Coordinates of all heavy atoms in Angstrom, one line a residue:
M1 N 0.8 -1.2 0.0 CA 0.0 0.0 0.0 C 0.9 1.3 0.0 O 1.9 1.3 0.6 CB -0.9 0.0 1.2 CG -1.9 1.1 1.3 SD -3.1 1.1 0.0 CE -4.2 -0.2 0.5
R2 N 0.4 2.3 -0.7 CA 1.1 3.5 -0.7 C 0.4 4.5 0.2 O -0.8 4.5 0.4 CB 1.2 4.1 -2.1 CG 2.0 3.2 -3.1 CD 1.9 3.7 -4.5 NE 2.9 3.0 -5.3 CZ 2.6 1.8 -5.9 NH1 1.5 1.2 -5.7 NH2 3.5 1.2 -6.6
Y3 N 1.2 5.4 0.7 CA 0.6 6.4 1.8 C 1.1 7.8 1.4 O 2.1 8.0 0.8 CB 1.1 6.0 3.1 CG 0.6 4.6 3.6 CD1 1.3 3.5 3.3 CD2 -0.6 4.5 4.2 CE1 0.8 2.2 3.6 CE2 -1.1 3.3 4.6 CZ -0.4 2.2 4.3 OH -0.9 0.9 4.7
H4 N 0.3 8.7 2.0 CA 0.8 10.1 2.0 C 0.6 10.7 3.4 O -0.4 10.4 4.1 CB 0.2 11.0 0.9 CG -1.3 11.1 1.0 ND1 -1.9 12.1 1.6 CD2 -2.3 10.3 0.4 CE1 -3.2 12.0 1.5 NE2 -3.5 10.9 0.7
A5 N 1.4 11.6 3.8 CA 1.3 12.3 5.1 C 1.7 13.8 4.9 O 2.6 14.1 4.2 CB 2.2 11.7 6.1
G6 N 0.9 14.7 5.5 CA 1.2 16.1 5.3 C 1.1 16.6 3.9 O 1.7 17.5 3.5
G7 N 0.3 15.9 3.1 CA 0.1 16.2 1.7 C 1.2 15.7 0.8 O 1.2 16.1 -0.4
A8 N 2.1 15.0 1.3 CA 3.2 14.5 0.4 C 3.2 12.9 0.4 O 3.0 12.3 1.4 CB 4.6 15.0 0.9
K9 N 3.5 12.4 -0.8 CA 3.6 11.0 -0.9 C 4.8 10.5 -0.2 O 5.9 11.2 -0.3 CB 3.6 10.6 -2.4 CG 3.5 9.1 -2.6 CD 3.5 8.8 -4.2 CE 3.6 7.3 -4.5 NZ 3.8 7.0 -5.8
L10 N 4.7 9.4 0.4 CA 5.8 8.9 1.2 C 6.7 7.9 0.4 O 6.2 7.1 -0.4 CB 5.3 8.1 2.4 CG 4.5 9.0 3.4 CD1 3.9 8.1 4.5 CD2 5.4 10.0 4.0
H11 N 8.0 8.2 0.5 CA 9.0 7.3 0.0 C 9.9 6.9 1.0 O 10.3 7.6 2.0 CB 9.8 8.0 -1.2 CG 9.0 8.2 -2.4 ND1 8.2 9.3 -2.6 CD2 8.9 7.5 -3.5 CE1 7.6 9.2 -3.8 NE2 8.0 8.1 -4.4
C12 N 10.4 5.6 1.0 CA 11.4 5.2 2.0 C 12.7 6.0 1.8 O 13.2 6.1 0.7 CB 11.7 3.7 1.7 SG 13.0 3.1 2.7
P13 N 13.3 6.5 2.9 CA 14.5 7.2 2.8 C 15.7 6.4 2.5 O 16.7 6.9 2.1 CB 14.6 7.9 4.2 CG 13.9 7.0 5.0 CD 12.7 6.4 4.2
C14 N 15.6 5.1 2.6 CA 16.7 4.2 2.4 C 16.8 3.7 0.9 O 17.8 3.7 0.3 CB 16.7 3.0 3.3 SG 16.8 3.5 5.1
C15 N 15.6 3.2 0.4 CA 15.7 2.5 -0.9 C 14.7 3.2 -1.9 O 14.6 2.7 -3.0 CB 15.4 1.1 -0.7 SG 13.7 0.8 -0.3
Q16 N 14.1 4.3 -1.5 CA 13.1 5.0 -2.4 C 11.9 4.2 -2.8 O 11.1 4.6 -3.7 CB 13.9 5.5 -3.6 CG 15.1 6.3 -3.3 CD 14.9 7.4 -2.4 OE1 14.0 8.2 -2.6 NE2 15.7 7.5 -1.3
N17 N 11.7 3.1 -2.2 CA 10.5 2.3 -2.4 C 9.3 3.1 -1.9 O 9.4 4.0 -1.1 CB 10.6 1.0 -1.7 CG 9.4 0.1 -1.8 OD1 8.8 0.0 -3.0 ND2 8.9 -0.5 -0.8
D18 N 8.1 2.9 -2.5 CA 6.9 3.6 -2.0 C 5.8 2.8 -1.6 O 4.6 3.2 -1.5 CB 6.5 4.6 -3.2 CG 6.0 3.8 -4.4 OD1 6.1 2.6 -4.4 OD2 5.5 4.4 -5.3
T19 N 6.1 1.5 -1.3 CA 5.0 0.6 -0.8 C 5.4 0.2 0.7 O 6.6 -0.2 0.9 CB 4.8 -0.6 -1.6 OG1 6.0 -1.3 -1.8 CG2 4.2 -0.2 -3.0
F20 N 4.4 0.3 1.6 CA 4.7 0.1 3.0 C 3.6 -0.9 3.6 O 2.5 -0.9 3.1 CB 4.7 1.4 3.8 CG 5.7 2.3 3.3 CD1 5.5 3.2 2.3 CD2 7.0 2.4 4.0 CE1 6.4 4.1 1.9 CE2 7.9 3.3 3.5 CZ 7.7 4.2 2.5
T21 N 3.9 -1.5 4.7 CA 3.0 -2.3 5.5 C 2.7 -1.4 6.8 O 3.7 -1.1 7.5 CB 3.5 -3.6 5.8 OG1 3.8 -4.3 4.7 CG2 2.5 -4.3 6.7
K22 N 1.5 -1.2 7.1 CA 1.1 -0.3 8.2 C 0.9 -1.2 9.5 O 0.3 -2.3 9.4 CB -0.2 0.4 7.9 CG -0.5 1.4 9.0 CD -1.6 2.4 8.5 CE -3.0 1.6 8.3 NZ -4.0 2.6 8.0
D23 N 1.4 -0.7 10.6 CA 1.2 -1.4 11.8 C 1.2 -0.3 12.9 O 1.4 0.9 12.7 CB 2.4 -2.3 12.1 CG 2.0 -3.5 13.0 OD1 0.9 -3.4 13.7 OD2 2.8 -4.4 13.1
Y24 N 0.9 -0.7 14.2 CA 0.8 0.2 15.3 C 1.8 -0.2 16.4 O 1.9 -1.4 16.6 CB -0.6 0.3 15.7 CG -1.6 0.8 14.7 CD1 -2.2 -0.2 14.0 CD2 -1.8 2.1 14.5 CE1 -3.2 0.2 13.0 CE2 -2.7 2.5 13.5 CZ -3.4 1.5 12.7 OH -4.3 1.9 11.8
R25 N 2.4 0.7 17.1 CA 3.2 0.4 18.2 C 2.7 1.4 19.3 O 2.5 2.5 19.1 CB 4.6 0.5 17.9 CG 5.2 -0.6 17.0 CD 5.2 -1.9 17.7 NE 5.8 -3.0 16.8 CZ 5.1 -3.6 15.9 NH1 3.8 -3.4 15.8 NH2 5.7 -4.5 15.2
Q26 N 2.8 0.8 20.5 CA 2.5 1.7 21.6 C 3.8 2.5 22.0 O 4.9 1.9 22.1 CB 2.1 0.9 22.9 CG 1.8 1.8 24.1 CD 0.7 1.2 24.9 OE1 0.9 0.4 25.7 NE2 -0.5 1.7 24.6
L27 N 3.7 3.8 22.2 CA 4.8 4.6 22.6 C 4.9 4.4 24.2 O 4.5 5.3 24.9 CB 4.6 6.1 22.3 CG 4.7 6.3 20.8 CD1 4.4 7.8 20.5 CD2 6.1 6.0 20.2
N28 N 5.4 3.3 24.5 CA 5.4 3.0 26.0 C 6.6 3.5 26.6 O 7.7 3.3 26.2 CB 5.3 1.4 26.1 CG 4.7 1.1 27.5 OD1 4.5 2.0 28.3 ND2 4.6 -0.2 27.8
S29 N 6.4 4.2 27.7 CA 7.6 4.7 28.5 C 7.4 4.2 29.9 O 6.4 4.5 30.5 CB 7.7 6.2 28.4 OG 6.4 6.8 28.7
R30 N 8.3 3.4 30.3 CA 8.2 2.8 31.6 C 8.1 3.9 32.7 O 9.0 4.8 32.8 CB 9.4 1.9 31.8 CG 9.2 0.8 32.9 CD 10.4 -0.1 32.9 NE 10.5 -1.0 31.7 CZ 11.5 -1.8 31.4 NH1 12.5 -1.9 32.2 NH2 11.5 -2.5 30.4
G31 N 7.2 3.8 33.6 CA 7.0 4.7 34.7 C 6.2 6.0 34.2 O 6.0 6.9 35.1
A32 N 5.8 6.1 33.0 CA 5.1 7.3 32.6 C 3.8 7.5 33.3 O 3.4 8.6 33.7 CB 4.9 7.3 31.1
T33 N 3.1 6.4 33.5 CA 1.8 6.5 34.2 C 2.0 6.9 35.7 O 1.2 7.7 36.2 CB 1.0 5.1 34.1 OG1 0.9 4.8 32.7 CG2 -0.3 5.2 34.7
F34 N 3.0 6.3 36.2 CA 3.3 6.6 37.6 C 3.6 8.2 37.8 O 3.1 8.7 38.8 CB 4.6 5.9 38.1 CG 5.1 6.2 39.5 CD1 4.4 5.7 40.5 CD2 6.1 7.1 39.7 CE1 4.8 6.0 41.8 CE2 6.5 7.4 41.0 CZ 5.9 6.8 42.1
F35 N 4.1 8.8 36.8 CA 4.4 10.2 36.9 C 3.3 11.0 36.3 O 3.4 12.2 36.2 CB 5.7 10.6 36.2 CG 7.0 10.1 36.9 CD1 7.7 9.0 36.4 CD2 7.3 10.7 38.1 CE1 8.8 8.6 37.0 CE2 8.4 10.2 38.7 CZ 9.2 9.1 38.3
G36 N 2.2 10.3 35.9 CA 1.0 11.1 35.4 C 1.2 11.5 34.0 O 0.4 12.4 33.5
L37 N 2.1 11.0 33.3 CA 2.4 11.4 31.9 C 1.6 10.4 31.0 O 2.2 9.7 30.1 CB 3.9 11.4 31.6 CG 4.7 12.3 32.5 CD1 6.2 12.2 32.1 CD2 4.3 13.8 32.2
D38 N 0.3 10.3 31.1 CA -0.4 9.4 30.3 C -0.4 9.7 28.9 O -0.5 8.8 28.0 CB -1.9 9.4 30.8 CG -2.1 8.6 32.1 OD1 -1.2 7.8 32.4 OD2 -3.0 8.9 32.9
W39 N -0.1 11.0 28.5 CA 0.0 11.3 27.1 C 1.1 10.6 26.4 O 1.2 10.4 25.2 CB 0.1 12.8 26.9 CG 1.3 13.3 27.7 CD1 1.3 13.8 29.0 CD2 2.7 13.4 27.3 NE1 2.6 14.2 29.3 CE2 3.5 13.9 28.3 CE3 3.4 13.0 26.1 CZ2 4.8 14.1 28.2 CZ3 4.7 13.2 26.0 CH2 5.5 13.7 27.0
A40 N 2.1 10.1 27.3 CA 3.2 9.4 26.6 C 2.9 8.0 26.3 O 3.7 7.4 25.5 CB 4.4 9.4 27.7
N41 N 1.7 7.4 26.7 CA 1.4 6.1 26.3 C 0.4 6.1 25.2 O -0.7 5.5 25.3 CB 0.8 5.4 27.6 CG 1.9 5.1 28.6 OD1 3.0 4.7 28.3 ND2 1.6 5.3 29.8
R42 N 0.8 6.7 24.1 CA -0.1 6.8 23.0 C 0.4 5.7 21.9 O 1.5 5.3 22.0 CB -0.1 8.2 22.4 CG -0.7 9.2 23.3 CD -0.5 10.6 22.7 NE -1.1 10.7 21.4 CZ -1.0 11.8 20.6 NH1 -0.3 12.8 21.1 NH2 -1.6 11.9 19.5
N43 N -0.5 5.5 21.0 CA -0.2 4.6 19.9 C 0.4 5.5 18.7 O -0.1 6.5 18.5 CB -1.4 3.9 19.3 CG -1.7 2.6 20.2 OD1 -0.8 2.1 20.8 ND2 -2.8 2.1 20.1
A44 N 1.5 5.0 18.2 CA 2.0 5.5 17.0 C 1.8 4.6 15.8 O 1.6 3.4 16.0 CB 3.5 5.8 17.2
T45 N 1.7 5.2 14.7 CA 1.6 4.4 13.5 C 3.0 4.2 12.9 O 3.8 5.1 12.9 CB 0.8 5.2 12.4 OG1 -0.5 5.5 13.0 CG2 0.5 4.3 11.2
I46 N 3.3 3.0 12.5 CA 4.6 2.7 11.8 C 4.3 2.2 10.4 O 3.3 1.5 10.2 CB 5.4 1.7 12.6 CG1 4.8 0.4 12.7 CG2 5.8 2.2 14.0 CD1 5.8 -0.7 13.2
L47 N 5.1 2.6 9.5 CA 5.1 2.1 8.1 C 6.4 1.4 7.9 O 7.5 1.9 8.0 CB 4.9 3.2 7.2 CG 3.6 4.0 7.2 CD1 3.6 5.0 6.1 CD2 2.4 3.0 7.0
V48 N 6.3 0.1 7.6 CA 7.5 -0.7 7.3 C 7.7 -0.9 5.8 O 6.7 -1.4 5.1 CB 7.3 -2.1 8.0 CG1 8.6 -3.0 7.7 CG2 6.9 -2.0 9.4
C49 N 8.8 -0.4 5.3 CA 9.1 -0.5 3.9 C 9.1 -2.0 3.5 O 9.7 -2.8 4.1 CB 10.5 0.1 3.6 SG 11.0 -0.1 1.9
E50 N 8.3 -2.2 2.4 CA 8.2 -3.6 1.9 C 9.4 -4.2 1.3 O 9.6 -5.3 1.0 CB 7.0 -3.7 1.0 CG 5.7 -3.6 1.7 CD 4.5 -3.8 0.8 OE1 4.6 -3.7 -0.4 OE2 3.3 -3.9 1.4
R51 N 10.4 -3.2 0.9 CA 11.6 -3.7 0.2 C 12.7 -3.9 1.2 O 13.4 -5.0 1.2 CB 12.0 -2.7 -0.9 CG 13.2 -3.2 -1.6 CD 13.7 -2.1 -2.5 NE 12.8 -1.8 -3.7 CZ 13.0 -0.9 -4.6 NH1 14.0 0.0 -4.5 NH2 12.1 -0.6 -5.6
C52 N 13.0 -2.8 2.1 CA 14.2 -2.9 2.8 C 13.9 -3.0 4.4 O 14.8 -3.1 5.2 CB 15.1 -1.7 2.6 SG 14.6 -0.2 3.4
S53 N 12.6 -2.9 4.7 CA 12.1 -3.1 6.1 C 12.5 -1.9 7.0 O 12.3 -2.0 8.2 CB 12.6 -4.4 6.8 OG 13.9 -4.3 7.2
H54 N 12.8 -0.8 6.4 CA 13.0 0.4 7.2 C 11.7 0.8 7.9 O 10.6 0.6 7.3 CB 13.5 1.6 6.3 CG 13.5 2.9 7.0 ND1 14.5 3.3 7.8 CD2 12.6 3.9 7.0 CE1 14.3 4.5 8.2 NE2 13.1 4.9 7.7
I55 N 11.7 1.3 9.1 CA 10.5 1.7 9.8 C 10.4 3.2 9.9 O 11.4 3.8 10.4 CB 10.5 1.0 11.2 CG1 10.5 -0.5 11.1 CG2 9.2 1.5 12.0 CD1 10.5 -1.2 12.5
A56 N 9.3 3.7 9.5 CA 9.0 5.2 9.7 C 7.9 5.3 10.7 O 6.9 4.6 10.7 CB 8.6 5.8 8.3
W57 N 8.1 6.2 11.6 CA 7.1 6.4 12.7 C 6.3 7.7 12.5 O 6.8 8.7 12.1 CB 7.9 6.6 14.0 CG 8.6 5.3 14.5 CD1 9.7 4.8 14.0 CD2 8.2 4.5 15.6 NE1 10.0 3.6 14.7 CE2 9.1 3.5 15.7 CE3 7.1 4.5 16.5 CZ2 9.0 2.4 16.6 CZ3 6.9 3.5 17.5 CH2 7.9 2.5 17.5
F58 N 5.0 7.6 12.9 CA 4.1 8.7 12.7 C 3.2 8.8 13.9 O 2.6 7.8 14.4 CB 3.3 8.6 11.4 CG 4.0 8.5 10.2 CD1 4.5 7.4 9.7 CD2 4.3 9.7 9.5 CE1 5.3 7.4 8.5 CE2 5.0 9.7 8.3 CZ 5.5 8.5 7.8
M59 N 3.1 10.1 14.4 CA 2.2 10.3 15.5 C 0.7 10.4 14.9 O -0.3 10.2 15.7 CB 2.5 11.5 16.3 CG 3.7 11.4 17.1 SD 3.6 10.0 18.3 CE 2.3 10.6 19.3
Q60 N 0.6 11.0 13.7 CA -0.7 10.9 13.1 C -0.7 9.9 11.9 O 0.2 9.9 11.2 CB -1.0 12.4 12.5 CG -1.2 13.4 13.6 CD -1.7 14.7 13.0 OE1 -1.4 15.0 11.9 NE2 -2.3 15.5 13.8
E61 N -1.8 9.2 11.9 CA -1.8 8.1 10.9 C -1.8 8.6 9.5 O -2.6 9.4 9.1 CB -3.0 7.2 11.1 CG -3.0 6.0 10.3 CD -4.1 5.0 10.7 OE1 -4.6 5.1 11.9 OE2 -4.6 4.2 10.0
P62 N -0.9 8.1 8.7 CA -0.8 8.5 7.3 C -2.0 8.0 6.5 O -2.6 7.0 6.8 CB 0.5 7.9 6.7 CG 1.3 7.6 8.0 CD 0.3 7.3 9.0
S63 N -2.4 8.7 5.5 CA -3.6 8.3 4.7 C -3.2 7.3 3.6 O -2.0 7.5 3.1 CB -4.2 9.6 4.0 OG -4.5 10.5 5.0
E64 N -4.1 6.4 3.4 CA -3.7 5.5 2.3 C -4.0 6.2 0.9 O -5.0 6.9 0.7 CB -4.6 4.2 2.4 CG -4.3 3.4 3.7 CD -5.1 2.2 3.8 OE1 -6.0 2.0 2.9 OE2 -4.9 1.4 4.7
L65 N -3.1 5.9 0.0 CA -3.2 6.5 -1.3 C -3.9 5.5 -2.3 O -3.5 4.4 -2.4 CB -1.7 6.8 -1.8 CG -1.6 7.9 -2.8 CD1 -2.0 9.3 -2.3 CD2 -0.1 8.0 -3.3
R66 N -4.9 6.0 -2.8 CA -5.7 5.1 -3.7 C -5.5 5.6 -5.2 O -5.7 6.7 -5.5 CB -7.2 5.2 -3.4 CG -7.4 4.9 -1.9 CD -8.9 4.8 -1.7 NE -9.2 4.7 -0.2 CZ -9.0 3.5 0.5 NH1 -8.5 2.5 -0.1 NH2 -9.2 3.6 1.8
N67 N -5.1 4.7 -6.0 CA -5.0 5.1 -7.4 C -5.4 3.9 -8.4 O -5.9 2.9 -8.1 CB -3.5 5.4 -7.7 CG -2.5 4.5 -7.1 OD1 -2.9 3.7 -6.3 ND2 -1.3 4.6 -7.3
Ligands
ZN101 ZN1 13.1 0.9 1.9

């Protein structure tokens, strides 16, 4: 799948590939809840390059590009 974020089409910075697999990861910080920093335990979107497996992290989910 191809994606765009911030109005720009995404390309892998390593291999210039433009197809990614989307997944989610928790931005988990040990002890964050204890200190009341619940905002730190948010989910981030990751896009894994289908060619070289480079991972790009996004706080806002990139849109899927349909063509
Ligand atoms: Zn790549």
Side-chain angles (χ1 to χ4, degrees):
M1 183 66 73
R2 295 174 171 83
Y3 295 90
H4 61 90
K9 188 180 174 187
L10 295 174
H11 289 85
C12 175
C14 297
C15 71
Q16 308 306 313
N17 180 43
D18 65 355
T19 56
F20 300 87
T21 300
K22 185 168 66 178
D23 204 348
Y24 301 92
R25 288 292 180 274
Q26 183 147 83
L27 289 178
N28 202 359
S29 46
R30 202 173 289 173
T33 304
F34 177 79
F35 290 109
L37 301 174
D38 285 335
W39 55 266
N41 287 319
R42 295 173 58 187
N43 275 338
T45 305
I46 64 170
L47 294 183
V48 183
C49 173
E50 290 183 346
R51 183 188 291 174
C52 76
S53 82
H54 173 81
I55 299 177
W57 291 75
F58 296 88
M59 288 304 296
Q60 291 188 333
E61 186 168 337
S63 307
E64 294 181 355
L65 205 63
R66 308 187 186 284
N67 40 355

